[in-house]
Amino acid sequence: MSTASDARAATGAWWRTLRESARPQGDVRRRNASAWLPHVTTLRETMRRYDDGDEVDMAVVGCGAGGATFAQRLAHAGWRVVCLEAGPFWDPEKDWVSDEWGSHHLYWNEPRVVGGSHPVPLGSNNSGRGVGGSMVHFAGFAPRLHPSDFRTRSLDGVGADWPLEYGELKPFYERLERELPVAGQFWPWGDPHPHPHPPHPVSGNGEVMLAGCAALGIEARVGPVAIANGRFGDRPHCIYRGFCLQGCKVNAKASPLITHVPDAIVHGAEIRPDSMVTRVETDREGRRVTGVRYVRGGRERFQRAAAVAVAGYSIETPRLLLNSANARFPEGLCNDHDLVGRYVMVQGAPQTAGRFAEEIRMYKGPPPEVSSEDFYETDPAKPYRRGFSVQTVSPLPIMWAEHVAAQGHWGADLRRRMADYTHWATLGALCEFLPQADNRVTLAEETDRHGLPVARFDHSHCPNDDLLLEAAREVMERILKAAGATELMTVERYAHLVGGCRMGRTPQEGVVDGDLRSFAIPNLFVTDGSVLPTQGSANPALTIMALADRAATRLIARGGA
């Protein structure tokens, strides 16, 4: 590209970003007034409450990214909605603390069983509990998937093609970016686009990544983070405390608890916390769902519903459907083709840290600040398909101690290295592990406190997964060295569960169709991350919300389930 073309492209990106940042917020407020409403704990006082015997239009199981968005859209359109959440209705002022250890109650800590050749620990960074789901403790990073993610089988010969194209999801990406809102520089990868809020200031960790990428000719950008930057309704802006993963007490970081639940309540939805759904019931023939059984206050109840949407995420959604077996579906609800629980994916998420002579203080600011998607797409010259992204991450002291101890440092040596914490910068990769049928959720022999079989999640790598991990580690080491790091260390880890009830064009390909309606039962929907056929190298929260928004919009247009 010529210098003149570069200048025109840069000017166009600058103008599109400025125009988006200056956009009036009236359309957002008309669609979702959560940012302008009283605090959610105040709204709870007057929230509508339905009786179990009332047949609501939709019972939603789970109040996370997908469930809360779906419930809010339907309630806004006048539907009678109950959203049942197994965990509590959080009050950020009382329930959240700026402390790593004190935040473990935000995670799903119920028993689960893991297996396979590469078992995945379940909990802190991949399972949520309570109103807001795992977005309560997600890092705030909110990128879109690329257009290629929807056609990996056709383009790269791996994974699966989605039953919809990127263009069908794009308008929902755009309006959710405005509702959260998302802040960041113009994004040059995938489908290039601006963000509604300008980028946040960059901390020492971000400066390290920008410097290293610049030295190597790697494109890097600030954002996108779902964290208010400046005024947005009555929401406060970020104050760069660094406790995004512990629940943002400031309420600057987006989570459904503050971005969609308030508007849902004002429009008549009931958010019913501490309600563990144990079974989805159907009519005698198994043709339509009739409601959900749940336990609250130690007593089993039944909520009648004209339709049900399951949004318990990639472990609990398959588990619920498998535990809902009946005469029509002896192997689990909607499991005629043995697809419920299969193709669960995690992203390989290695983290590489580098030591610098000067203080970095990586914890000052949102954990994800700067990112590069230069390695996202398949490179025909590489021995692997698909790719990975790289972003800043900022482990706090307890997690940092785990990183250091994993290198074999103990005792006085560990204490000495912990005192050196402020001199380190850390990068993390998200590697697109491929969907495999045997990476799956099944029911274990063990039972939980309600007497239900718990989920067993078996996970193993394929050769492509291992090649991606090595390539990502090598790139992160190069970036840190180019920025001046004198010592390096890497830990292997996983992030972001998706899959388990994936979309398809036919019942033989997926559990649900492109509108998230189950093939087997027309008034049963799945509206969470379990529906993703592939996962890309992007954090999934924005895509989960966009899919739920699209499904609700199309359902409302049809006038009912």
Side-chain angles (χ1 to χ4, degrees), residues 291-355:
V292 296
R293 296 202 176 274
Y294 68 102
V295 176
R296 191 182 198 200
R299 185 165 71 88
E300 184 179 80
R301 302 165 178 257
F302 177 70
Q303 175 64 59
R304 295 179 62 221
V308 171
V310 182
Y313 209 22
S314 291
I315 303 296
E316 293 304 313
T317 287
R319 178 194 177 205
L320 176 59
L321 296 180
L322 293 173
N323 273 323
S324 300
N326 57 28
R328 164 66 183 84
F329 298 100
E331 302 303 319
L333 211 59
C334 304
N335 202 24
D336 287 335
H337 300 280
D338 191 25
L339 288 173
V340 172
R342 289 195 182 271
Y343 299 103
V344 177
M345 294 164 278
V346 296
Q347 287 166 330
Q351 294 185 359
T352 298
R355 189 192 187 281

Side-chain angles (χ1 to χ4, degrees), residues 78 129 193 240 251 297 389 430 462 495:
R129 172 180 175 267
H193 60 278
Y240 310 110
N251 287 333
S389 61
L430 293 179
C462 69

Side-chain angles (χ1 to χ4, degrees), residues 235 368 400 480 527:
R235 285 254 306 276
W400 180 250
L480 290 167
T527 61

